Amino acid sequence: MQHSELGDSGVEVSEVGFGAWVVGTDWWGDRSADDAIEMVQYAVDQGITYFDTGDVYGHGDSEELLGEALAEVRDEVTVATKVGYDFYDNPQAGHGELPKEMEPDYLREAVEQSLERLDMDSVDVLQLHNADVDEITPDVLELLDELEEEGLIDATGLALGPSIGWLAEGDLAIEEEFDSVQLVWNVLEQEVGNHFLETIERTGSSTSLIPRVPHSSGILNEQVTPDTELGEGDHRGFRPDEWYETGWEKLEQLRFLERDGERTMGQAAIAWLLSHDPVATVTPTFRTKGDIDEWAAASDVPKLTDEEMTRVDELYVNDFDIDRDDGMDALRSSVDGADIESAGLDKLAAD
């Protein structure tokens, strides 16, 4: 396993991280607390040292389980959490988005409660969870500085979503030298990641990028195939049918990234992301120990060649020569699509 630094923070992360949204929630299948703890500890054994959770996952359950699982190796791992959703006063309705609260007093209290659940004195990375651009105020930035000065956090980040727009927020975080920006980014969804690469180059920012959903909800790791029936409550079901139908066609055109016995498609999807210098770590959604075995090794598989990277670029620019709607034209944006339109992206913002 290779490691990288988040921004200029001095915080080190494994190139493949563990997205702990699968711990303490049932969005990707039910598992007992013991199973979840065992899975986290297994990931540590496979060289993963970066663990990314959030206070809203399972309304605190993910943090509690992660803290218990990592208690004996706390000094050997990097832990990130997220705050900004007020789940204390609002019940969760399915996978719907809860009301956000980004006032400094609330955020400070949320951090303190997260630390209590994690049973930790400090957290390595604190991320604002889906903050709108107008919510990242000077007062919020001042609070983040205060939390660092007080030793409660070591690095700051912004986790974007829940969809794959939010260009204005990511640009602001990069310009403000946040240590990390987490985003949806994969071979089949490149617009936002490419935009932030340009922003980092333009500004000279040290901000690191943390891609999530590297397998595009099961297409690139072939866990969702034409024969797959997604169960009720499976988080991957939010994708329209057209997305999967066109995605399977695109997958066949990407087979050249596989190397028999050396690099699987699931590993290639992660390796492609790691080929971009600002990417510090990639957080796939591990569902089984087999997933951990395969994807943790992606840090050490043969790197993609320049020719392979160029071929991927050419396929994407030409939309894989598929002249059919993929059902994903509606991207959520906090500024009514102005950020996406100004970036020249051929997408529409959701109402």
Side-chain angles (χ1 to χ4, degrees):
M1 178 70 71
Q2 307 300 311
H3 295 79
S4 299
E5 179 183 3
L6 281 185
D8 287 332
S9 66
V11 173
E12 187 178 86
V13 294
S14 53
E15 284 193 338
V16 179
F18 188 109
W21 39 81
V22 300
V23 174
T25 72
D26 61 359
W27 289 15
W28 290 269
D30 287 321
R31 57 178 52 82
S32 70
D34 288 343
D35 288 342
I37 290 171
E38 182 181 357
M39 193 171 177
V40 170
Q41 293 174 339
Y42 186 79
V44 173
D45 292 340
Q46 305 314 306
I48 293 175
T49 62
Y50 176 66
F51 294 85
D52 185 327
T53 187
D55 64 356
V56 74
Y57 301 145
H59 285 198
D61 288 348
S62 178
E63 289 180 324
E64 290 186 357
L65 289 169
L66 193 65
E68 182 178 350
L70 298 176
E72 295 185 4
V73 293
R74 177 63 184 100
D75 294 338
E76 303 169 25
V77 298
T78 297
V79 177
T81 196
K82 310 178 190 75
V83 295
Y85 280 111
D86 183 8
F87 65 90
Y88 298 100
D89 300 309
N90 299 279
Q92 183 77 49
H95 294 184
E97 188 175 7
L98 292 172
K100 285 183 293 181
E101 177 57 78
M102 294 289 171
E103 289 300 316
D105 288 345
Y106 173 85
L107 293 175
R108 176 179 283 279
E109 176 67 19
V111 170
E112 292 172 352
Q113 297 217 38
S114 286
L115 292 176
E116 183 174 340
R117 285 189 293 267
L118 288 163
D119 195 21
M120 297 175 184
D121 296 326
S122 65
V123 68
D124 301 294
V125 189
L126 178 69
Q127 302 166 92
L128 299 180
H129 204 170
N130 299 343
D132 293 350
V133 67
D134 57 0
E135 293 173 328
I136 308 174
T137 63
D139 287 344
V140 169
L141 295 175
E142 182 178 351
L143 171 68
L144 296 177
D145 288 339
E146 291 175 358
L147 294 173
E148 282 198 63
E149 291 170 2
E150 295 168 18
L152 296 181
I153 67 175
D154 293 321
T156 58
L158 176 63
L160 298 175
S163 297
I164 63 173
W166 303 90
L167 299 183
E169 285 75 13
D171 282 348
L172 175 61
I174 291 168
E175 291 161 3
E176 291 290 341
E177 296 274 2
F178 276 49
D179 296 302
S180 66
V181 169
Q182 183 185 132
L183 68 153
V184 173
W185 188 13
N186 56 67
V187 174
L188 303 184
E189 297 168 285
Q190 297 186 29
E191 287 101 332
V192 176
N194 290 342
H195 177 84
F196 291 150
L197 290 175
E198 294 172 359
T199 304
I200 289 171
E201 183 175 3
R202 171 175 56 81
T203 62
S205 174
S206 63
T207 301
S208 294
L209 299 178
I210 302 178
R212 61 184 177 90
V213 199
H215 296 124
S216 198
S217 300
I219 293 176
L220 295 171
N221 56 20
E222 300 184 80
Q223 290 189 350
V224 178
T225 71
D227 296 325
T228 302
E229 292 186 15
L230 297 176
E232 184 177 353
D234 191 310
H235 194 58
R236 296 169 297 181
F238 83 93
R239 300 276 195 179
D241 291 343
E242 296 89 344
W243 173 255
Y244 286 108
E245 290 165 1
T246 56
W248 294 322
E249 293 181 41
K250 295 172 184 178
L251 173 65
E252 294 309 312
Q253 298 185 58
L254 292 167
R255 292 291 183 191
F256 67 91
L257 294 176
E258 294 176 304
R259 292 192 185 180
D260 188 30
E262 291 188 308
R263 190 169 68 198
T264 67
M265 182 59 71
Q267 291 170 334
I270 295 172
W272 178 81
L273 289 164
L274 291 172
S275 295
H276 300 88
D277 289 340
V279 173
T281 183
V282 179
T283 54
T285 299
F286 297 115
R287 297 164 61 87
T288 66
K289 289 181 179 179
D291 292 344
I292 296 173
D293 288 335
E294 179 182 351
W295 303 336
S299 176
D300 297 313
V301 301
K303 306 301 181 185
L304 269 66
T305 65
D306 291 342
E307 291 77 14
E308 288 172 325
M309 295 293 290
T310 298
R311 189 171 173 187
V312 170
D313 290 343
E314 292 172 347
L315 285 170
Y316 192 79
V317 167
N318 294 309
D319 200 22
F320 295 80
D321 291 325
I322 297 176
D323 186 19
R324 194 167 72 256
D325 182 18
D326 64 10
M328 288 291 289
D329 274 346
L331 295 185
R332 182 172 182 180
S333 167
S334 65
V335 287
D336 298 326
D339 52 353
I340 293 173
E341 182 178 353
S342 66
L345 304 184
D346 185 21
K347 297 288 182 181
L348 302 174
D351 295 331

